[in-house]
Amino acid sequence: MRYAGGWMTAADDRILEYLSENETGSPAKMKREGPIRYSRQQINRRCKRLAEEDLVRHLGNGVYIITDDGEAYLDGRLDTENWTYIDDDSEAVEAQDSSNGEASNGGAT
């Protein structure tokens, strides 16, 4: 499960997925080769925003690469609303505490 910030759009996920699979890409190449159904201009705008948020890095000449934070977001390990990493161990502890007779939230996390 991914934890997208309110500032993110569906295009952002597609861009990050493309860069994760292809290592680098430009908005024109993503539009031409990727499964991204947005205009090159929209992809360009979103790449710039993703770079501002450090999920991608601009290498120059319109080429971008995904960062470690971008990969963490795709893996569901980074909440881009609160900019916090999700610790799988702490979630496991919370689930264990609920099974020890404490009030349960119905299985929702």
Side-chain angles (χ1 to χ4, degrees):
M1 173 186 210
R2 293 179 184 158
Y3 301 91
W7 59 271
M8 294 185 78
T9 69
D12 297 341
D13 277 21
R14 302 298 82 77
I15 291 165
L16 291 169
E17 289 164 357
Y18 178 91
L19 292 173
S20 180
E21 292 172 11
N22 296 282
E23 295 186 26
T24 64
S26 67
K29 187 174 181 181
M30 288 182 230
K31 171 67 178 161
R32 186 175 58 249
E33 297 178 5
I36 303 175
R37 297 181 181 188
Y38 300 92
S39 70
R40 184 194 57 75
Q41 294 85 357
Q42 176 68 3
I43 296 168
N44 186 52
R45 280 192 295 276
R46 296 315 303 168
C47 283
K48 288 180 180 180
R49 179 63 193 269
L50 290 168
E52 289 172 5
E53 301 294 342
D54 294 323
L55 296 177
V56 303
R57 187 166 44 101
H58 186 230
L59 299 177
N61 295 327
V63 177
Y64 292 86
I65 188 169
I66 193 167
T67 64
D68 289 341
D69 283 347
E71 291 286 0
Y73 165 75
L74 287 179
D75 292 341
R77 296 181 292 113
L78 175 64
D79 177 346
T80 59
E81 183 68 34
N82 302 313
W83 291 103
T84 56
Y85 272 87
I86 292 127
D87 183 3
D88 290 332
D89 292 336
S90 66
E91 290 179 358
V93 170
E94 289 174 17
Q96 182 180 2
D97 288 346
S98 294
S99 67
N100 287 336
E102 293 182 10
S104 174
N105 60 4
T109 55

